[in-house]
Amino acid sequence: FEFDQVNQTGGSSLPVTSSSWDLEISLDIEWAHALAPGASILLVEATSPSLSNLLAAEQFAAEHANYVSNSWGSSEFSGEVSDDSYFTHPGVSYFAAAGDSGGSVLWPSASPDVISVGGTSLAFTAGGTLAQEAAWGDGGGGCSSYETANVYQSTGSVNCAGMRATPDLALDANPNSGISVYDSVSYENQSGWWTVGGTSVSTAMVAAEAALDRKSTRLNSSHLG
């Protein structure tokens, strides 16, 4: 197992620690490693949450990884189509969280060449056996206002009139059936073990599952530091 941590240009000078982003980073790294323990992980930290810096980190990640996992997203905007090119690097699979607000569409999750990952809820028996999986009510998704659907996207009974529909697939994201994460940086006056959820969780796990299908791969987690 190999882990590398760099800034948005690949340098060693990292942004100042952010407690909220640190918890986000911890969940992505720990659960990507849990599901794909043999994959090398590259953490790329953007200087700030500005779109230009996030896309710079995205570009570096794609040049050094086969699978790029993104837990960040923004509301759709009229110029997003011109930035879709950042998610078209040959040989790279992109994954992005669909968001944690029901019925909303986020970008880059809506970008046509990105795999949009939504959320489900798990229910268990008293003995801990999985009893049911259903859509998570707070999971993001819907019809894009600006992106058109690719011909290979199957939406089933969802009709978006030729526009991009999100998410493409979903995995456990409900905090009530969430995952355990250890974070040594204090957040909301707490450090140590957390139980967390959200489509950030499902995105990291789906990307890790994809990495299992390919040997000697590098999995990237792209974040603000």
Side-chain angles (χ1 to χ4, degrees):
F1 169 61
E2 177 186 352
F3 172 72
D4 294 306
Q5 183 178 13
V6 298
N7 62 28
Q8 66 188 44
T9 59
S12 58
S13 179
L14 301 175
V16 176
T17 298
S18 166
S19 58
S20 59
W21 279 93
D22 196 83
L23 180 60
E24 186 80 45
I25 288 169
S26 296
L27 80 85
D28 280 12
I29 292 173
E30 291 171 27
W31 279 86
H33 179 57
L35 271 68
S40 298
I41 295 178
L42 172 66
L43 171 65
V44 182
E45 298 190 34
T47 302
S48 78
S50 71
L51 183 59
S52 60
N53 284 328
L54 288 168
L55 292 179
E58 197 75 32
Q59 186 170 6
F60 182 86
E63 292 170 351
H64 298 83
N66 303 115
Y67 302 88
V68 180
S69 174
N70 296 280
S71 294
W72 64 274
S74 72
S75 299
E76 287 200 285
F77 54 98
S78 59
E80 69 187 49
V81 174
S82 63
D83 290 324
D84 286 338
S85 58
Y86 283 91
F87 302 92
T88 58
H89 195 285
V92 176
S93 296
Y94 297 87
F95 303 83
D100 302 336
S101 179
S104 64
V105 179
L106 297 184
W107 186 90
S109 174
S111 187
D113 293 295
V114 172
I115 298 170
S116 174
V117 185
T120 64
S121 296
L122 305 183
F124 300 90
T125 65
T129 301
L130 178 63
Q132 183 181 17
E133 183 174 20
W136 180 41
D138 289 331
C143 299
S144 172
S145 298
Y146 305 103
E147 308 280 3
T148 56
N150 276 329
V151 294
Y152 50 77
Q153 183 189 27
S154 175
T155 59
S157 60
V158 176
N159 183 5
C160 285
M163 304 303 288
R164 169 81 156 108
T166 64
D168 296 306
L169 44 80
L171 204 65
D172 181 33
N174 189 333
N176 293 328
S177 56
I179 62 171
S180 296
V181 173
Y182 186 85
D183 184 18
S184 60
V185 175
S186 179
Y187 175 62
E188 296 183 346
N189 298 317
Q190 177 184 338
S191 61
W193 286 102
W194 292 77
T195 299
V196 300
T199 54
S200 296
V201 171
S202 54
T203 301
M205 292 195 291
V206 167
E209 285 288 335
L212 289 175
D213 293 332
R214 179 171 177 173
K215 297 180 180 178
S216 301
T217 190
R218 166 161 281 183
L219 178 69
N220 162 263
S221 181
S222 184
H223 285 295
L224 165 69

